[in-house]
Amino acid sequence: MKAFILAAGRGERMRPLTDHTPKPLLLAGGKPLIVWHLERLAAAGFREIVINHAHLGSLIEQTLGDGAQWGLHIQYSPEPPGALETAGGIATALPLLGDEPFLVVNGDVYCDFDFGRFFRLTAEGWQPAAHLVMVANPAHHTGGDFSLNGERIVYANGEQTFTYAGIGVFSPAFFADVQPGTIMKLRPLLDAAIAAGTLTGERFAGRWVDVGTPQRLAELDQELKNA
């Protein structure tokens, strides 16, 4: 199973920190955010990683190289200035991701999720169309994104909503109608899957942080240093 790390965002809310450093390379606990992912992916058994980039992408390639220091093989999917959004970026990288379901992780979240769980499930023949990891709504996103009906993800309803963690498993076919190079968000594809009843998910109750502002980065940095 391959993993795709989304690292192409400009990080506007993180400015001025991201004026000269791409957001995935910002430090938390003495390591770039993306390195926490690489270490956990390697420990979980992943070996093939694809990373997209746009803003200051050359710095990401210079810093991470081919991934050998983590026992990984990293390939890169460069995008034009402004990037292609999530669905556009994944569709453009499909030639690098192969024919099997793959893991997608946002490069600007911190979590202690067991990525190996999906590695084991796909090895057993699990073939999801799309499966999302959901978390309790953080203070900056109290309305949430979706609700869960068992393992099925449905439109947000009532008070029982959850936030998409930026972690999911997708089949290549999920992006079959998105032309490479197209700018496209993920949400329209998720809405179509909800309407078709094919979007599944699970709740994760462990440590998860959307590192979207300098304040949240500073808080995570202090937490990790004190751990």
Side-chain angles (χ1 to χ4, degrees):
M1 188 181 193
K2 295 185 178 183
F4 184 74
I5 303 179
L6 293 159
R10 173 62 179 83
E12 288 289 346
R13 292 177 300 161
M14 296 294 285
R15 298 183 69 180
L17 298 178
T18 51
D19 285 346
H20 304 290
T21 304
K23 185 158 61 166
L25 294 186
L26 294 175
L27 299 179
K31 299 177 194 174
L33 288 169
I34 199 169
V35 169
W36 289 97
H37 285 331
L38 294 176
E39 290 180 347
R40 287 198 167 97
L41 288 167
F46 286 81
R47 291 297 173 262
E48 299 288 331
I49 311 294
V50 179
I51 300 173
N52 70 339
H53 62 65
H55 174 61
L56 301 175
S58 61
L59 293 180
I60 293 177
E61 293 199 25
Q62 290 170 22
T63 301
L64 305 180
D66 63 4
Q69 62 179 302
W70 299 284
L72 299 169
H73 176 239
I74 296 177
Q75 294 178 283
Y76 297 95
S77 180
E79 297 180 12
L84 300 174
E85 297 286 0
T86 299
I90 295 172
T92 300
L94 284 180
L96 300 175
L97 290 166
D99 300 325
E100 299 299 321
F102 50 85
L103 174 70
V104 173
V105 185
N106 282 6
D108 58 358
V109 300
Y110 172 87
C111 66
D112 56 9
F113 185 80
D114 174 19
F115 295 129
R117 166 177 157 66
F118 293 141
F119 198 94
R120 293 186 292 271
L121 283 173
T122 54
E124 295 167 3
W126 182 56
Q127 293 275 337
H131 181 87
L132 308 184
V133 176
M134 312 297 292
V135 294
N137 299 329
H140 59 273
H141 190 60
T142 55
D145 296 315
F146 306 105
S147 294
L148 278 170
N149 180 10
E151 288 192 348
R152 268 186 60 191
I153 290 179
V154 296
Y155 293 114
N157 59 71
E159 297 181 1
Q160 193 63 19
T161 64
F162 300 97
T163 293
Y164 172 43
I167 303 167
V169 178
F170 298 87
S171 71
F174 193 74
F175 302 94
D177 295 332
V178 183
Q179 290 297 314
T182 303
I183 298 173
M184 184 173 180
K185 294 181 180 293
L186 183 62
R187 184 62 192 251
L189 298 182
L190 298 179
D191 285 343
I194 289 174
T198 58
L199 188 62
T200 61
E202 63 186 77
R203 184 177 178 185
F204 172 59
R207 188 69 178 117
W208 176 88
V209 181
D210 169 17
V211 191
T213 65
Q215 178 184 350
R216 295 205 291 272
L217 177 65
E219 290 169 355
L220 175 63
D221 180 53
Q222 198 60 48
E223 174 191 330
L224 293 172
K225 286 178 177 176
N226 293 338

